[in-house]
Amino acid sequence: MKRLIIIGAGGFGREILTWAKDIQKENNLWEEICFIDDNLDDLNRFNLDNKVFSTIEEYEPQKGEYLICGIGSVTDKVRICSQLLKKGAKFTNLIHPTAIVAENAVLGIGAILCPYSIVSNNAIMGDFVTLDSFSIIGHDAKIGNGCMVAGHSNIMGNVNIEDSVYVGGGVTVLPQIRIQKNATIGAGSVVIRNVKENTTVFGNPAVKVY
């Protein structure tokens, strides 16, 4: 049996379930879609047939199971996915039917491309990158492992974003900007200069706030 397992049954995990069902309508890839989450009762208040069948820690990969990560925190996502890889888990990419990916773009494992997202020519995305709805990765941009680009953001051409960066909703990053690892870009910001690692920037133009 081919089964899709969503890691995390919170709000984003349930969004992934919706996008997966959209994919199923066009191409029936999985016989079952279910969840792993440390709270086994997390979906009980929702009217869903899809259930949480294991905690993340207790999950043991089985043949025919493919994982996708619905955890929003960039640091937690990379840590948990790395642990599951060591167990032998296999990850898939989840690409919504309305997403556009240039034929010469490169996607790592565990990519999530939400509705109407775009990955342009010669862009490179690392492992476990999430591109939320209506967001764009411009030509020749590089996005590191574990990054989250929230909705309606525009990462322009030749931008270099390092590992575990969170880009808030509605952000614009100008061409050729470098954002170092573990940085956070506040929602609605316009990034016109390089961002150092482990810092939070916000505003138009974006300035360091933490």
Side-chain angles (χ1 to χ4, degrees):
M1 179 175 70
K2 198 170 182 181
R3 180 156 73 160
L4 178 67
I5 298 173
I6 301 170
I7 306 167
F12 186 50
R14 287 182 282 111
E15 283 189 350
I16 290 175
L17 173 62
T18 299
W19 311 150
K21 288 180 177 180
D22 288 343
I23 293 170
Q24 286 288 80
K25 293 174 185 176
E26 296 199 359
N27 189 357
N28 191 24
L29 296 177
W30 310 290
E31 296 175 53
E32 183 182 6
I33 303 173
C34 51
F35 292 83
I36 56 175
D37 191 283
D38 289 338
N39 180 0
L40 294 175
D41 299 322
D42 209 20
L43 294 177
N44 288 354
R45 64 189 187 278
F46 303 102
N47 185 25
L48 293 174
D49 295 328
N50 314 83
K51 303 301 180 184
V52 179
F53 74 94
S54 172
T55 66
I56 295 171
E57 183 177 356
E58 293 173 341
Y59 170 70
E60 294 295 334
Q62 303 296 321
K63 183 178 179 180
E65 294 179 341
Y66 296 86
L67 277 63
I68 196 73
C69 189
I71 295 173
S73 165
V74 292
T75 52
D76 290 344
K77 173 170 61 172
V78 172
R79 174 180 56 81
I80 289 169
C81 290
S82 297
Q83 291 171 351
L84 289 168
L85 281 173
K86 289 179 182 178
K87 284 187 173 185
K90 294 183 178 180
F91 284 81
T92 189
N93 291 345
L94 192 140
I95 302 175
H96 193 269
T98 61
I100 298 172
V101 182
E103 62 181 2
N104 52 12
V106 177
L107 306 181
I109 63 171
I112 300 172
L113 303 185
C114 297
Y116 302 101
S117 57
I118 299 174
V119 183
S120 192
N121 296 76
N122 300 106
I124 299 173
M125 288 174 38
D127 297 335
F128 311 117
V129 174
T130 297
L131 185 59
D132 210 346
S133 299
F134 296 96
S135 287
I136 300 170
I137 304 298
H139 66 83
D140 303 293
K142 296 180 180 179
I143 312 297
N145 297 329
C147 291
M148 169 70 179
V149 180
H152 296 270
S153 291
N154 185 5
I155 311 301
M156 294 187 178
N158 291 292
V159 168
N160 182 3
I161 298 180
E162 297 181 359
D163 295 347
S164 300
V165 169
Y166 180 85
V167 178
V171 165
T172 298
V173 182
L174 270 59
Q176 307 200 35
I177 294 295
R178 180 187 181 191
I179 300 175
Q180 295 182 338
K181 63 182 181 180
N182 302 317
T184 298
I185 314 300
S189 296
V190 178
V191 182
I192 66 171
R193 57 180 67 89
N194 295 341
V195 178
K196 293 183 178 180
E197 64 181 88
N198 301 310
T199 58
T200 296
V201 300
F202 175 75
N204 180 7
V207 295
K208 181 180 175 181
V209 293
Y210 298 111

